[in-house]
C-alpha cells in the first residue's frame, strides 16, 4: 500500500566511497565500438586482405603503375573510418539528449542524474512511464505497479510493495515509489540492454546477409582461378613470372567487389548522420533497413497527431451539482496525485492542489487499461468519500444524459472527462461501482500543424496509416476527419471480435480505432504482421511500450516516457511527427541505392570471373594488366556507384535482395564476358607478333568491355533524371579522352593504332549493350520486376 519513509539516501561521502570502489553504474558506450575498434575493423577486412596480397605480388614485379589498385585499400579504409566516426559522434551526442535520466535521492533531496552516475545503494524515485534502469529493491510504494512483460512475458502489471524486487528493463505503469539499487554496471540487466540497444553495427539483416553470401562465394572462387591463371600464363602462354603475376592480378582484382562493402557501410553511416541532423536518434543501425520496408504506420493520436499538452476548456455541471463542491473535489484529486498525467495536469493548472488536503484512505492511479483514477478521502464531515475522474463512456451509465453529452462533445474533437463520486472505495475489487456524475471537464486538443501534410505524404507513398488511440472513438474520429486524409470513421476497440481471425480482418480493413487497450495495440501490430505487413509504431506513453517493442520499427517521441524511448529503435527527439516522412525516405534511399549499385558490382564480378575462366580453358595470354582493370572500374562502377548510392530513392524495399540482383547481374556479366572474350579471340595476334600488336589487341578488347559495362550502368541508373543522364555521358566521354589523348595512352599502356581491331571491339561492345538492354526488358516481363521509366523528374521530398 503506501509507505512514507524518511530515508534521505546516500550522503556525498558515501557516493564518493562507492565511486572509488568501482561500484558505479558504468555502461558500454552508446555507439558500441570505440574509435580504435572502428579503425581496426575498417583496415583489417577480408577485402583489404585480398587486395593487399595481390598488391604485394604486383609490386614484386617492379611495375608500379599496375599497382594503382592498391590505392583502393587506402580509400576503402579511410572513407569507412571517416563515415563511421561521424556516425558515432552523431549517435553519442544524440544519445545524451534522448536517454532516460533517473531521479536519484541523495542527502535528503532528489534530482535527475545520468544513468552512469548511479552508484550501489542509491535511492531512485519512479513514477508512471519511468523505466527501471538498474536492479533493486522497493523501499517506498505508493500504489506502485510495474510491467515486467518485456522480461517475463507476463501480461499483467505486478504490484510492488516495500522489499519487492524490481528488475531493470521493466517499467512503471501506475503509482509511484522508490527503490534502492542493488546491482549496477555489468551486474545489472540494464547493461545488456544498453549494449544491444544503440550499437553502431551491421547486425543480421537481409541486405548484409545477402552481401556476405556473395562475398563467400567470391572468396572460394578466387583461389582456384588465381592458381589456374598463373599456371596457364607460365606454362601455356609462355610468359615469365612477372607477366604471370600481373596477369593473375589483372584477373583477380576485378573479381573483388571492394566498393560494394564500402558503399554499404557509407550509406548506412550517412543515413545515421542525415537523420541525426533532423534530431532523429537511430538506436539500432539496421532500423534503417526496416524504414525502407515499412508499408503500415500505426500512430497514437495523442502526442503524434495532436500536441502533447492539453488546455482546460470548461466545466459543465451535471444534475444540479454545485460548482464549489466539484472544484474542491478536483483540488483534492490533484493534491493526492504525485505524478499527474497530461489530462490531470491541465485540470490542476486551473484547480491547483488544496492547501488543506483531506486525509487519503486509498488511491487508484490512472492506467490505460481501466481509463480512470481516483482516491478515497476522509471528507470534512468525517465520512469516507471516493472521488473519481476518467472517461465518461467508462464511468457514466451508457443511457445517461452525461454520457450522451460527452459523446456529442467528443465528436467535435474535444477530450472530455467525467468527475464524480463512486459507490465503492477506489481500492475495492468492484470499484468504482455506480458513479454519481458531478461534472464534465472539457479539454482542448491541439492538432499538430504539420500532421495533415505528413499524412498526405504517406498516402502518396503507398504507406497505410492506422490511428490507434486509447481516447474516445468519436474524439479520435473527429481529429482524423479534420486532417482530411484518414477516414474519419472510428471503430470502438471494445466492440472488436475476440476471434483472432476476425480481429485481424477488422484491423486490416479499418483505419481509425478508439478506446484501444495496451494489449490490443500489441495484438493489432501482430495481426498486421501476420498479414505480411511491415509495421512501424509511433507512440509516447507507457501504454505504447508493448506495441513499440513488437513492431518491426518502433518510433518514440523524445518527450515521451523513458520506457518508450528505451524500447524504440528510433527516437524523434524534437517530437515532430513531420520528421517521420524523412525517416522513411532515408531508409528507402539507403536500401534502394545499395541494391542498385550491387547490380554494378556483381556484374563486374561475374564477367571478371568468366573472362579468367575462358583464358584458362583456351590457354591464351590474359588480355589485361591490372592498370587496365583499374581504369575500367573508375567510370563504369567506382565513381558512378558512389554518386548513385547518395541519390534520392522513393521505391519501397521488397524482400528478395539477392535473387533480384542475380537476375540482372548474372546475365549482364555473362554478356560482357562473352562479348569481350570473343573480341579478344578475333583480334588476338599470332604468337611472336610483338609487344605493339599485343597492346593493340588489349586496347580493342578493353574498348569492348567498357562499352558493354557502361551500358550496364545506363540500365542500373534508371529511371533517368538529368544528372543521371549526365553521369552516363560523362563516363563515356572520360573513356573517349583516355583512349584518344596520347598522354593517357602512354600512361595506361594503350595503343589505338589498329583501327580494324578497335572497330571490332566497339561493334562487339555495342552488340553486348543491345543484349543487356534485351535482358533488362525480359527481366521485367518474366519476373515481374518494375520496368523503370526512361525518364522521371526528381522525386518529391518530404515536407519539412
Amino acid at each position: 500500500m503506501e509507505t512514507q519513509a524518511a530515508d534521505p539516501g546516500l550522503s556525498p561521502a558515501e557516493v564518493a566511497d562507492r565511486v572509488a570502489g568501482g561500484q558505479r553504474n558504468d555502461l558500454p558506450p552508446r555507439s558500441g565500438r570505440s574509435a580504435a575498434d572502428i579503425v581496426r575493423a575498417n583496415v583489417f577486412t577480408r577485402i583489404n586482405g585480398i587486395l593487399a596480397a595481390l598488391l604485394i605480388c604486383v609490386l614484386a614485379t617492379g611495375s608500379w603503375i599496375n599497382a594503382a589498385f592498391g590505392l583502393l585499400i587506402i580509400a576503402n579504409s579511410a572513407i569507412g573510418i571517416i563515415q563511421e566516426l561521424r556516425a558515432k559522434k552523431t549517435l553519442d551526442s544524440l544519445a545524451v539528449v534522448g536517454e532516460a535520466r533517473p531521479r536519484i535521492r541523495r542527502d535528503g533531496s532528489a534530482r535527475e542524474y545520468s544513468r552512469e552516475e548511479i552508484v550501489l545503494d542509491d535511492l531512485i524515485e519512479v513514477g508512471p512511464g519511468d523505466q527501471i534502469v538498474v536492479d533493486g529493491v522497493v523501499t517506498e510504494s505508493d500504489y506502485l505497479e510495474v510491467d515486467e512483460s518485456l522480461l517475463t512475458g507476463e501480461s499483467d502489471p505486478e504490484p510492488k510493495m516495500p522489499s519487492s524486487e524490481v528488475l531493470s528493463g521493466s517499467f512503471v505503469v501506475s503509482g509511484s515509489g522508490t527503490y534502492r539499487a542493488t546491482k549496477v554496471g555489468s551486474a545489472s540487466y540494464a547493461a545488456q540492454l544498453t549494449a544491444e540497444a544503440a550499437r553502431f553495427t551491421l547486425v543480421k539483416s537481409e541486405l548484409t546477409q545477402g552481401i556476405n553470401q556473395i562475398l563467400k562465394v567470391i572468396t572460394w572462387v578466387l583461389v582456384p582461378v588465381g592458381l589456374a591463371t598463373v599456371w596457364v600464363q607460365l606454362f601455356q602462354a609462355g610468359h615469365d613470372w612477372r607477366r604471370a603475376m600481373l596477369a593473375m592480378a589483372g584477373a583477380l582484382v576485378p573479381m573483388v567487389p571492394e566498393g560494394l562493402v564500402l558503399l554499404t557501410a557509407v550509406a548506412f553511416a550517412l543515413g545515421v548522420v542525415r537523420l541525426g541532423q533532423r534530431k532523429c536518434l537511430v538506436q539500432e543501425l539496421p532500423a534503417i533497413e526496416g524504414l525502407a520496408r515499412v508499408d503500415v504506420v500505426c500512430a497514437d493520436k495523442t502526442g503524434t497527431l495532436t500536441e502533447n499538452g492539453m488546455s482546460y476548456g470548461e466545466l459543465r455541471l451535471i444534475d444540479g451539482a454545485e460548482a464549489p463542491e466539484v472544484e474542491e473535489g478536483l483540488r483534492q484529486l490533484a493534491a493526492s496525485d504525485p505524478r499527474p498525467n497530461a489530462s490531470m495536469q491541465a485540470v490542476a493548472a486551473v484547480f491547483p492542489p488544496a492547501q488543506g488536503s483531506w486525509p487519503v484512505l486509498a488511491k487508484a492511479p490512472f492506467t490505460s487499461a481501466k481509463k480512470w483514477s481516483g482516491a478515497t478521502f476522509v471528507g470534512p464531515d468525517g465520512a469516507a468519500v471516493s472521488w473519481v475522474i476518467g472517461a465518461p463512456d467508462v464511468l457514466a451509465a451508457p443511457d445517461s444524459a452525461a454520457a450522451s453529452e460527452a459523446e456529442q462533445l467528443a465528436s467535435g474533437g474535444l477530450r472530455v472527462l467525467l468527475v464524480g463520486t463512486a459507490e465503492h472505495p477506489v481500492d475495492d475489487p468492484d470499484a468504482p461501482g455506480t458513479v454519481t456524475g458531478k461534472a464534465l471537464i472539457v479539454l482542448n486538443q491541439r492538432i499538430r500543424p504539420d500532421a495533415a501534410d505528413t499524412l498526405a505524404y504517406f498516402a502518396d507513398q503507398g504507406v497505410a496509416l492506422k490511428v490507434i488511440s486509447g481516447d474516445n472513438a468519436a474524439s479520435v474520429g473527429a481529429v482524423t476527419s479534420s486532417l482530411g486524409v484518414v477516414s474519419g470513421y472510428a471503430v470502438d476497440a471494445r466492440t472488436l471480435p475476440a476471434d483472432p481471425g476476425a480481429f485481424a480482418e477488422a484491423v486490416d480493413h479499418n483505419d481509425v480505432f478508439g478506446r484501444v487497450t495496451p494489449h490490443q495495440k500489441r495484438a493489432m501490430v501482430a495481426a498486421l504482421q501476420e498479414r505480411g505487413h511491415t509495421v512501424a509504431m509511433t507512440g509516447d506513453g507507457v501504454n505504447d511500450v508493448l506495441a513499440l517493442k513488437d513492431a518491426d520499427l518502433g518510433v518514440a517521441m523524445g518527450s515521451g516516457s523513458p520506457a518508450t524511448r528505451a524500447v524504440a529503435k528510433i527516437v524523434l527527439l524534437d517530437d515532430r511527427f513531420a520528421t517521420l516522412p524523412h525517416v522513411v525516405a532515408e531508409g528507402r534511399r539507403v536500401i534502394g541505392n545499395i541494391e542498385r549499385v550491387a547490380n554494378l558490382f556483381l556484374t563486374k564480378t561475374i564477367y571478371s570471373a568468366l573472362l579468367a575462366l575462358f583464358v584458362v580453358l583456351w590457354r591464351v595470354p590474359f588480355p589485361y594488366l591490372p592498370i587496365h582493370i583499374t581504369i575500367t572500374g573508375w567510370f563504369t562502377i567506382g565513381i558512378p556507384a558512389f554518386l548513385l548510392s547518395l541519390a534520392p530513392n522513393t521505391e519501397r524495399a521488397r524482400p528478395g535482395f539477392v535473387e533480384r540482383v542475380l537476375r540482372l547481374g548474372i546475365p549482364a556479366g555473362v554478356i560482357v564476358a562473352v562479348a569481350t572474350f570473343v573480341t579478344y579471340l578475333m583480334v588476338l595476334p599470332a604468337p611472336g607478333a610483338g609487344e605493339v600488336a599485343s597492346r593493340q589487341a588489349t586496347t580493342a578488347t578493353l574498348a569492348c568491355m567498357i562499352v558493354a559495362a557502361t551500358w550496364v550502368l545506363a540500365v542500373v541508373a534508371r529511371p533517368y533524371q538529368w544528372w543521371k543522364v549526365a553521369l552516363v555521358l560523362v563516363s563515356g566521354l572520360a573513356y573517349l579522352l583516355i583512349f584518344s589523348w596520347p598522354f593517357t595512352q602512354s600512361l595506361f599502356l594503350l595503343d589505338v593504332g589498329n583501327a580494324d581491331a578497335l572497330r571490332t571491339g566497339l561493334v562487339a561492345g555495342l552488340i553486348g549493350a543491345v543484349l543487356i538492354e534485351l535482358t533488362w526488358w525480359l527481366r521485367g516481363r518474366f519476373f515481374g520486376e518494375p520496368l523503370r521509366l526512361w525518364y522521371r523528374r526528381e522525386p518529391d521530398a518530404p515536407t519539412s
Side-chain angles (χ1 to χ4, degrees), residues 322-679:
E322 296 182 359
E325 177 195 15
V326 176
E327 292 174 3
E328 183 61 27
L330 290 173
R331 294 181 192 278
Q332 295 300 332
L333 286 172
S336 68
D337 193 344
R339 302 289 291 265
N341 59 22
S343 299
M344 200 65 205
Q345 288 175 16
V347 172
V350 179
F351 305 105
Q355 294 295 326
S357 298
W358 299 343
V360 177
L361 298 177
K363 284 194 284 188
F366 177 85
T367 65
S368 296
K370 68 177 188 291
K371 303 195 184 304
W372 62 271
S373 63
T376 299
F377 305 97
V378 177
D381 58 358
V385 58
S386 298
W387 280 86
V388 293
I389 184 172
D393 50 352
V394 173
L395 297 178
D399 56 351
S400 66
S404 177
E405 184 179 3
E407 189 73 12
Q408 183 178 1
L409 290 168
S411 64
L414 300 169
R415 172 172 284 193
V416 185
L417 303 175
L418 183 140
V419 62
T421 55
E423 176 186 3
H424 301 298
V426 295
D427 60 347
D428 190 285
D430 297 325
T434 301
V435 175
T436 303
K438 299 293 186 179
L440 294 175
I441 304 168
V442 181
L443 303 176
N444 298 314
Q445 304 179 100
R446 296 184 296 275
I447 297 176
R448 291 184 180 272
D450 47 27
D453 289 340
T454 303
L455 299 187
Y457 171 83
F458 283 133
D460 183 60
Q461 293 297 314
V463 178
L465 183 75
K466 306 285 183 182
V467 178
I468 302 174
S469 175
D471 285 356
N472 177 278
S475 176
V476 179
V479 169
T480 55
S481 291
S482 68
L483 294 173
V485 179
V486 184
S487 168
Y489 174 73
V491 176
D492 191 319
R494 293 172 296 185
T495 66
L496 290 174
D499 175 68
F503 178 86
E505 186 76 14
V507 172
D508 202 22
H509 286 82
N510 293 281
D511 296 328
V512 184
F513 301 87
R515 288 293 177 239
V516 185
T517 66
H519 293 292
Q520 280 182 315
K521 288 187 177 183
R522 191 180 201 180
M524 288 177 173
V525 169
L528 291 168
Q529 290 171 327
E530 288 171 2
R531 295 199 160 220
H533 295 292
T534 302
V535 183
M537 175 75 197
T538 71
D540 66 341
V542 67
N543 58 320
D544 301 317
V545 171
L546 301 179
L548 283 170
K549 183 68 175 177
D550 287 355
D552 297 287
L553 185 70
V555 182
M557 296 295 171
S559 65
S561 69
T564 59
R565 299 200 303 271
V567 302
K569 294 182 176 69
I570 289 177
V571 181
L572 305 180
L573 296 174
D574 60 358
D575 281 356
R576 294 188 66 224
F577 182 51
T579 303
L580 204 53
H582 295 281
V583 173
V584 173
E586 187 63 30
R588 291 185 176 186
R589 184 194 65 79
V590 170
I591 304 304
N593 290 340
I594 289 175
E595 181 171 326
R596 189 191 297 273
V597 301
N599 282 294
L600 291 176
F601 285 102
L602 184 61
T603 299
K604 183 195 75 166
T605 297
I606 296 295
Y607 72 63
S608 301
L610 287 176
L611 189 59
L613 182 61
F614 291 157
V615 167
V616 169
L617 294 177
W618 263 262
R619 300 180 181 181
V620 294
F622 194 79
Y624 302 131
L625 296 173
I627 187 58
H628 298 138
I629 298 301
T630 301
I631 63 174
T632 301
W634 282 351
F635 298 108
T636 63
I637 299 173
I639 296 173
F642 182 76
L643 295 176
L644 288 173
S645 71
L646 305 179
N649 193 329
T650 60
E651 293 183 22
R652 181 164 60 85
R654 296 162 291 144
F657 162 75
V658 174
E659 291 82 355
R660 281 195 307 279
V661 171
L662 292 177
R663 285 173 196 160
L664 180 63
I666 289 180
V670 170
I671 291 169
V672 175
V674 171
T676 301
F677 192 68
V678 168
T679 298

Side-chain angles (χ1 to χ4, degrees), residues 71-150:
L71 296 174
L72 290 172
I73 300 175
I74 300 174
N76 284 356
S77 301
I79 295 174
I81 290 169
I82 291 170
Q83 293 301 337
E84 191 164 346
L85 287 175
R86 284 185 66 199
K88 172 182 169 59
K89 181 180 178 181
T90 301
L91 283 176
D92 286 343
S93 62
L94 292 178
V96 171
V97 179
E99 70 180 12
R101 292 182 60 83
R103 188 173 178 83
I104 302 175
R105 186 191 303 164
R106 290 176 178 171
D107 207 22
S109 63
R111 69 178 182 87
E112 291 183 350
Y113 292 82
S114 67
R115 292 179 305 167
E116 288 80 2
E117 293 179 282
I118 299 173
V119 298
L120 193 68
D121 297 325
D122 255 332
L123 287 179
I124 303 170
E125 298 180 355
V126 290
D130 286 344
Q131 185 189 16
I132 306 297
V133 292
V134 294
D135 300 346
V137 173
V138 175
T139 59
E140 304 169 20
S141 173
D142 190 4
Y143 299 90
L144 181 66
E145 289 187 326
V146 175
D147 191 316
E148 298 177 337
S149 60
L150 298 179

